[in-house]
Amino acid sequence: YTIYNREKIEIDRALEQLDELRQTGVDETDDDRERFIQGEQEMAQIDDEIKELKQQIDFLKVDKLQLEDERRDIARDKAKIELQVKNLTEGQSAAQQARTRYQNDLQELQQQIQQREGELAGILPEYNGKKEQENTVKSQLNDAEGVRQRLYAKQGRNAQFRTRRERDEWLRNQVEEINVALATRKAVTMQITEDIVQLETEIGQVDNEVTEIRARIDNRGDETRTISTQVQQAKEERDRLMDQRKELWREEAKLDSVISNAQQELEKAERFLSHMMDQNTYRGLVAVRRIQRQQNLDGVYGTLAELFQVSDKYKTAVEVTAGTSLFYYVVDTDETASKLLE
């Protein structure tokens, strides 16, 4: 009895030690499980942060490309403006040189004009005196010529007519010729008067046309200003639309990046799912999705796992309880199922 009692005491002590070790292991297992779950959550959080940072990097790349395009456009515009400024500067310099040259020429001409005016002022009194003498001499010459012609005419008439009757007849003929010439001159004068009236009428029409053209020119200036304002507004609208288009391009690139990241995550999840499930089942799911897309079938909803959500703490229980039934494909009717199976 003493021997067995001693063995029993040793065995009880060993059992107590084993029970303590078991209890300690259970506690450590719970702690490890909690640390594992916490680590999984931290890893998931880090993965989310990595995804977000990658997405932000893609956005920044898109912004960088947009800004580089804008920088190139601005540099090109800057080069154009600098070339225009250079041309304007050179043109201004040439204009300044031409202006200086013209001013020098103008000064020389003004000096020559003053010199000639001085010479003219000295010559003009003598010229006026000579001109008066010339007029006096011409007047005397004309008077003498008239007297000479009258004397010649009188001498000729006395030698021309033998009797008074012939002289009177000749005078009547001269009067008739003069009357005819006078009538002709009156007719010509009337025609000239009519022509003058017509010309005055045409001048009035031309003046009206000139006034109308000037009015149109003035209105054209207003139209030009209006068109310039419209052109400026159109340029501003174009710039606004170009900025809006760049912004839309940037948003489109960001959305493409988001879609690409989501597509990569989906492919990653599908690859992970394919490793976690039977290959035949996975190929069957892929085939069902392909058939649905090709034939555009309605009433094909997806796998059971895709159609509901559970809390993270219940996922393990749901996976153990449902098993492979999570990959059952849900459809609306038996006819749809038959189509897919065929």
Side-chain angles (χ1 to χ4, degrees):
Y1 173 79
T2 300
I3 293 172
Y4 286 137
N5 186 45
R6 186 179 298 164
E7 292 179 355
K8 177 180 177 296
I9 291 171
E10 292 176 356
I11 291 171
D12 290 337
R13 188 180 295 113
L15 288 173
E16 290 177 357
Q17 292 176 355
L18 291 174
D19 187 64
E20 291 177 358
L21 292 174
R22 184 185 64 81
Q23 187 64 35
T24 303
V26 170
D27 295 336
E28 292 178 354
T29 301
D30 293 336
D31 294 338
D32 292 339
R33 184 180 297 108
E34 290 178 357
R35 286 196 298 271
F36 176 76
I37 294 173
Q38 184 179 1
E40 289 288 333
Q41 292 175 353
E42 292 177 354
M43 290 178 61
Q45 184 178 359
I46 292 172
D47 288 336
D48 294 336
E49 292 178 355
I50 291 173
K51 294 175 185 177
E52 184 177 357
L53 291 174
K54 287 182 178 180
Q55 190 171 357
Q56 291 178 0
I57 290 172
D58 293 335
F59 291 165
L60 292 175
K61 288 181 179 179
V62 173
D63 292 337
K64 179 183 177 184
L65 293 175
Q66 292 278 343
L67 292 174
E68 286 180 351
D69 292 337
E70 293 178 359
R71 182 182 61 81
R72 285 193 293 269
D73 295 337
I74 292 172
R76 185 164 53 251
D77 295 337
K78 178 183 177 183
K80 290 181 180 178
I81 292 172
E82 288 178 350
L83 182 60
Q84 291 177 358
V85 170
K86 182 179 179 182
N87 292 331
L88 290 174
T89 303
E90 293 177 352
Q92 185 177 6
S93 177
Q96 186 66 29
Q97 293 176 359
R99 181 170 177 270
T100 303
R101 186 172 62 253
Y102 292 151
Q103 286 180 350
N104 295 329
D105 295 339
L106 179 60
Q107 290 178 358
E108 292 179 358
L109 290 174
Q110 288 177 350
Q111 291 176 359
Q112 293 178 3
I113 289 171
Q114 292 177 357
Q115 182 180 358
R116 294 296 184 270
E117 285 179 350
E119 295 176 356
L120 181 62
I123 296 174
L124 191 60
E126 183 179 0
Y127 170 77
N128 291 328
K130 298 297 183 181
K131 190 70 176 175
E132 290 178 358
Q133 293 179 3
E134 181 185 5
N135 293 330
T136 303
V137 172
K138 282 184 178 180
S139 178
Q140 294 176 357
L141 181 62
N142 290 329
D143 294 339
E145 185 66 26
V147 173
R148 187 173 66 85
Q149 292 294 334
R150 285 195 298 273
L151 292 173
Y152 283 156
K154 185 176 180 181
Q155 182 181 3
R157 284 196 299 272
N158 291 328
Q160 183 179 1
F161 306 112
R162 293 187 300 270
T163 63
R164 182 178 296 178
R165 181 179 297 174
E166 291 179 358
R167 186 195 64 184
D168 294 339
E169 185 68 23
W170 181 82
L171 289 174
R172 279 196 297 273
N173 292 330
Q174 290 293 322
V175 169
E176 289 178 359
E177 291 178 357
I178 292 171
N179 289 330
V180 172
L182 183 61
T184 304
R185 290 184 179 181
K186 287 183 179 179
V188 172
T189 303
M190 293 176 63
Q191 182 66 35
I192 292 173
T193 303
E194 292 178 357
D195 294 339
I196 290 172
V197 173
Q198 184 177 358
L199 289 174
E200 289 178 350
T201 304
E202 292 178 356
I203 290 171
Q205 293 177 356
V206 171
D207 289 336
N208 293 329
E209 292 178 357
V210 170
T211 303
E212 184 179 356
I213 291 171
R214 287 179 178 176
R216 284 205 302 268
I217 290 173
D218 295 335
N219 294 330
R220 183 170 298 174
D222 296 334
E223 292 176 357
T224 302
R225 287 190 292 271
T226 303
I227 292 172
S228 299
T229 303
Q230 294 176 356
V231 169
Q232 183 63 30
Q233 292 177 355
K235 288 181 178 179
E236 293 176 356
E237 182 66 16
R238 181 200 63 186
D239 295 336
R240 186 184 67 80
L241 292 175
M242 289 181 66
D243 294 336
Q244 184 177 1
R245 183 181 65 177
K246 291 179 181 178
E247 187 66 25
L248 291 176
W249 280 347
R250 188 178 292 110
E251 293 296 329
E252 181 182 6
K254 290 181 180 179
L255 291 176
D256 290 338
S257 177
V258 172
I259 293 172
S260 177
N261 292 330
Q263 188 68 29
Q264 292 177 1
E265 291 296 327
L266 177 61
E267 293 176 356
K268 180 179 178 181
E270 288 180 349
R271 287 195 300 270
F272 179 76
L273 180 63
S274 66
H275 295 310
M276 297 296 294
M277 62 188 300
D278 181 65
Q279 291 298 315
N280 292 326
T281 304
Y282 178 74
R283 287 195 294 270
L285 295 176
V286 173
V288 169
R289 292 191 180 99
R290 186 182 68 251
I291 294 170
Q292 179 188 7
R293 290 194 303 268
Q294 291 176 353
Q295 299 189 8
N296 195 19
L297 295 176
D298 295 329
V300 182
Y301 302 121
T303 60
L304 185 62
E306 296 172 347
L307 300 179
F308 71 96
Q309 296 180 352
V310 296
S311 176
D312 291 339
K313 61 182 180 181
Y314 297 138
K315 282 185 177 180
T316 302
V318 171
E319 291 175 357
V320 172
T321 303
T324 57
S325 62
L326 290 173
F327 304 115
Y328 289 174
Y329 222 91
V330 181
V331 296
D332 55 352
T333 60
D334 292 337
E335 288 78 6
T336 304
S338 299
K339 289 182 181 178
L340 291 173
L341 291 175
E342 290 175 0

